[in-house]
Amino acid sequence: MDRKCPVPLDGSDSFGGSSDPELPAIPMHASLRITSLVLLLHSLLFALLSPADAPADVVVQDMVSPVGREVMLRAETKGGFFSKGGALVEFFVDGKPVGKSLSGGDGLAYRSFVPARTGLHKIKVRSEGDSDEGLLLAVKESTQLVFIDVEGSLHEPSSFTRKPRSGSVQAVKKINRTYPVVFLWSGFVGLSAAKSWLKENRFPEAPLLAWSRGEVFGEIREKHLKVRAVIGKPDVVQSAREYTPRAFSFEAAGDREAVQDWDEIVKKVK
C-alpha cells in the first residue's frame, strides 16, 4: 500500500513533517518567519561588524563603460536609511570637477561624462558635507570581462570571520593581468562593507557592481562588452548561462560540476 504525505483537511497550512503523533506539525507561516528572522539576524550581525556599512548621506555607484562613449555617473542621496531628494551633488572624476546635479524624488542624481582613456577612473561625489568615492572602469569595445561574485567565491565558507578563500587573492590578481575583473555584489553583506573587505584583504582594485539577479550581464552586452567568465555561487552562475560558456562555482550548478580551487579556475579562464 502506497504511503502519502499527510495533508491537512482543515484548511490549515501545517506541514505533515512527521508520522509521529507526539511531534507537533510546524505551520508554514511560522517556518517562514523563522527563516526570515535568521536571515535578518545574519544581516544585522555583519552590519554591526562592519562600520563601513553605516548609512551615508551620499553614495556613488561603480560603473563599467566603453572608452569614448557617454556614461551617466550616478549618486544617491539619503537621509538615514531612506532616499532623499532635492540635494545638490558635486561630481569629480580623477580629481577634476565634472559638474553638479540635484537629486530627484528617488534620491538619484546623474551627471554625463565621457571617459577619454582606458583604465580605472576615480569617481568622487560630495553632498551636504558628506562624500563618497567609487570607480569607473573604461575599456575598449569587445573587451572580455571576468565577473567574480564576492560572497559566492572569495569568502572562505567555513570561516565566521570571513577570511578569503585559499588562493583567491593571488588568483584574482593573475586573472586581472589578462582580463579586467569586475566584482559582483549579491549577498547579505552591504555594498560598503563588501568594498572595505576587498580592500582590507588586498584584492586588486576593481569596480563592484550589483548582480541584480543577472541584469548586470544584459547591461554589459548592451554596452557591446563581452563576458569572458563568471565565478560565483550557483544562482549567479546560472544567470550568466546565455552570456558565456565559462561559468564556475565551488558548488555544483545545474549541469556544471563544482571546481575544486582557484588554481583550477585560473587555468580554465585563460
Side-chain angles (χ1 to χ4, degrees):
M1 184 170 117
D2 292 334
R3 283 193 170 184
K4 295 183 179 180
C5 181
V7 178
L9 300 178
D10 59 358
S12 70
D13 57 359
S14 297
F15 289 118
S18 173
S19 59
D20 188 341
E22 294 184 2
L23 294 178
I26 301 175
M28 182 182 293
H29 59 81
S31 177
L32 291 175
R33 283 201 301 268
I34 292 171
T35 301
S36 299
L37 180 60
V38 170
L39 294 177
L40 178 59
L41 291 174
H42 184 282
S43 302
L44 291 174
L45 176 61
F46 279 105
L48 291 172
L49 293 175
S50 308
D53 233 16
D57 291 335
V58 62
V59 179
V60 67
Q61 181 182 25
D62 287 358
M63 310 193 78
V64 178
S65 174
V67 68
R69 287 179 55 183
E70 181 184 43
V71 60
M72 298 302 292
L73 305 178
R74 189 173 96 167
E76 182 180 5
T77 55
K78 297 184 176 184
F81 288 98
F82 302 98
S83 298
K84 173 186 174 183
L88 184 65
V89 180
E90 298 179 86
F91 290 85
F92 303 82
V93 177
D94 296 329
K96 298 179 180 179
V98 295
K100 303 177 182 179
S101 297
L102 278 175
S103 59
D106 56 2
L108 297 177
Y110 299 88
R111 193 66 192 177
S112 172
F113 177 73
V114 179
R117 63 169 180 82
T118 60
L120 282 174
H121 297 268
K122 306 279 188 177
I123 310 171
K124 183 176 181 178
V125 293
R126 285 200 309 230
S127 180
E128 299 182 352
D130 195 19
S131 65
D132 190 30
E133 296 182 356
L135 295 171
L136 165 62
L137 174 63
V139 295
K140 296 179 180 178
E141 288 193 7
S142 298
T143 291
Q144 299 183 69
L145 305 167
V146 174
F147 290 83
I148 300 176
D149 173 19
V150 175
E151 290 192 53
S153 62
L154 299 181
H155 288 166
E156 187 66 57
S158 60
S159 172
F160 180 76
T161 57
R162 290 298 190 181
K163 293 180 180 179
R165 187 183 289 266
S166 177
S168 59
V169 176
Q170 291 304 317
V172 174
K173 289 179 179 179
K174 287 180 182 178
I175 293 171
N176 197 44
R177 294 187 195 113
T178 306
Y179 303 103
V181 163
V182 179
F183 294 118
L184 291 177
W185 174 54
S186 66
F188 291 107
V189 176
L191 188 65
S192 297
K195 284 186 176 183
S196 297
W197 184 86
L198 289 167
K199 185 175 182 180
E200 290 167 5
N201 290 284
R202 301 188 177 182
F203 283 92
E205 197 171 33
L208 176 64
L209 306 185
W211 170 51
S212 301
R213 309 299 302 178
E215 292 180 8
V216 63
F217 303 124
E219 294 170 359
I220 288 298
R221 176 178 284 179
E222 290 175 1
K223 295 177 181 179
H224 305 288
L225 304 176
K226 295 182 178 180
V227 181
R228 174 72 180 184
V230 177
I231 302 105
K233 52 181 171 279
D235 50 352
V236 172
V237 167
Q238 291 293 96
S239 71
R241 287 179 65 92
E242 66 177 287
Y243 302 98
T244 178
R246 297 181 179 90
F248 313 106
S249 177
F250 289 97
E251 305 173 58
D255 58 351
R256 299 176 188 271
E257 294 183 2
V259 292
Q260 299 302 310
D261 52 42
W262 268 99
D263 287 338
E264 181 181 349
I265 292 175
V266 171
K267 293 174 183 177
K268 291 183 175 181
V269 168
K270 290 184 177 179

